[in-house]
Amino acid sequence: MPAQKLADRNAFTIDTGNLSKHIELMLKRHVNSSSELTAAFAKFAKDRDVNQNQLDFSSDPIALSSGDLGEFRKSSDIKTTLKLFLLTFSPEYAATAVRMALEHLELSSLFQVILQFPEAQDEMDDPTWLAAVLGVWQPLEKLVDAGKILYLGVSDIELERLRMLCEAANEPPKIEHYSIDGCCTVPQELVEYAKAHDIQILTHPDSRSFELGDEFMAEGQKLLGDALLPFGPAWVARYTIWLNSRSVMASKGYLVHFERK
């Protein structure tokens, strides 16, 4: 039973596997990443109920579906992006997520890692914010030095805080993932700063805060049963793997890390 197998754990991670293999998920227009992840949990909960599939709770991460890249894994033409949604400012989370993604996807390096910081950042003054961000950022800089990450990026940081991070970091961000949710243009000052500091601006449709609400937890409980109740999500990492020369998405999925409350 899931409750028995998770009872002795303080944490565990779920891997959705390669969602691009599930046409019904890919064809549906999702509002944002959290809604896509919720829909994936709902699908796998329904599939498990219909087919009585058993999850392997002894594995880490616990796989909901196949994530095998097959022939693509050995290709030198792949480009892998990991976008990490942090729900708290815990220094170990980001580096742990990167290492887990590399190991689980059987890759030697990631092309780019983009961080979205917790919603709590909006309540912080600038010095407190910078200290919290550097606590997360510096372990990733070591992975850049080790050749595990090529580029580091941030998501939805306004100009002044982007400037602060660039000036304080040994490996400044090379990507600004900017939300166009609720607007249609990137501020000109941000565009000019990015151009002057070799920062690539990429737009995305996600909201500026990543939330896994009651619906996600309800679908999670359908999937895992009452075993999930003592746990809450700590971070989510979305991985996307492209074949550059063919502009083909080889894999897309999520790692969701839960910790005991």
Side-chain angles (χ1 to χ4, degrees), residues 10 92 110 161 186:
N10 290 319
E92 71 274 13
L110 300 172
R161 286 189 167 179
V186 179

Side-chain angles (χ1 to χ4, degrees), residues 173-190:
K174 292 300 181 183
I175 301 153
E176 164 79 42
H177 214 209
Y178 196 85
S179 173
I180 54 173
D181 180 43
C183 66
C184 56
T185 60
V186 179
Q188 187 59 33
E189 287 185 350
L190 179 59

Side-chain angles (χ1 to χ4, degrees), residues 2-245:
Q4 294 174 329
K5 293 180 179 180
L6 295 179
D8 295 331
R9 291 201 191 186
N10 290 319
F12 65 93
T13 306
I14 295 286
D15 174 33
T16 63
N18 186 359
L19 298 183
S20 67
K21 293 182 177 181
H22 301 278
I23 302 300
E24 65 273 38
L25 285 174
M26 299 307 295
L27 291 180
K28 184 177 179 180
R29 183 177 176 84
H30 303 284
V31 176
N32 51 42
S33 292
S34 59
S35 67
E36 181 178 52
L37 180 57
T38 300
F41 268 48
K43 172 196 163 37
F44 293 125
K46 181 179 179 181
D47 288 352
R48 187 179 180 220
D49 182 56
V50 171
N51 300 323
Q52 296 184 338
N53 292 328
Q54 296 300 311
L55 301 177
D56 182 3
F57 285 90
S58 63
S59 65
D60 189 25
I62 300 166
L64 301 184
S65 68
S66 170
D68 186 20
L69 292 175
E71 64 184 80
F72 298 137
R73 180 176 287 111
K74 296 181 180 180
S75 173
S76 60
D77 190 39
I78 63 172
K79 175 182 176 181
T80 306
T81 296
L82 190 75
K83 184 169 185 181
L84 179 57
F85 303 91
L86 292 173
L87 302 180
T88 61
F89 275 111
S90 293
E92 71 274 13
Y93 283 167
T96 297
V98 169
R99 292 190 185 98
M100 183 175 291
L102 287 170
E103 180 177 349
H104 187 57
L105 297 173
E106 298 183 41
L107 299 171
S108 59
S109 64
L110 300 172
F111 181 76
Q112 55 193 19
V113 174
I114 299 171
L115 296 185
Q116 180 162 320
F117 299 115
E119 189 176 6
Q121 68 175 333
D122 296 338
E123 307 301 322
M124 295 177 172
D125 59 35
D126 286 346
T128 303
W129 175 86
L130 183 60
V133 167
L134 288 177
V136 172
W137 196 262
Q138 287 167 348
L140 295 181
E141 291 180 321
K142 294 179 180 178
L143 293 176
V144 173
D145 292 341
K148 299 299 183 182
I149 302 170
L150 187 58
Y151 298 116
L152 287 174
V154 292
S155 182
D156 299 314
I157 292 183
E158 299 302 332
L159 176 57
E160 291 308 313
R161 286 189 167 179
L162 178 61
R163 182 183 287 115
M164 289 168 55
L165 179 56
C166 286
E167 292 175 354
N170 292 325
E171 293 285 346
K174 292 300 181 183
I175 301 153
E176 164 79 42
H177 214 209
Y178 196 85
S179 173
I180 54 173
D181 180 43
C183 66
C184 56
T185 60
V186 179
Q188 187 59 33
E189 287 185 350
L190 179 59
V191 172
E192 292 174 358
Y193 182 84
K195 184 177 180 180
H197 291 82
D198 194 26
I199 299 172
Q200 183 181 15
I201 296 181
L202 304 174
T203 58
H204 69 91
D206 278 338
S207 61
R208 292 173 180 268
S209 61
F210 183 84
E211 298 180 1
L212 293 176
D214 293 340
E215 184 181 357
F216 170 78
M217 293 304 293
E219 296 298 343
Q221 191 173 353
K222 291 177 187 176
L223 183 64
L224 302 176
D226 291 343
L228 184 63
L229 293 177
F231 296 89
W235 54 261
V236 175
R238 185 187 69 209
Y239 54 87
T240 312
I241 303 176
W242 291 86
L243 282 178
N244 278 336
S245 61

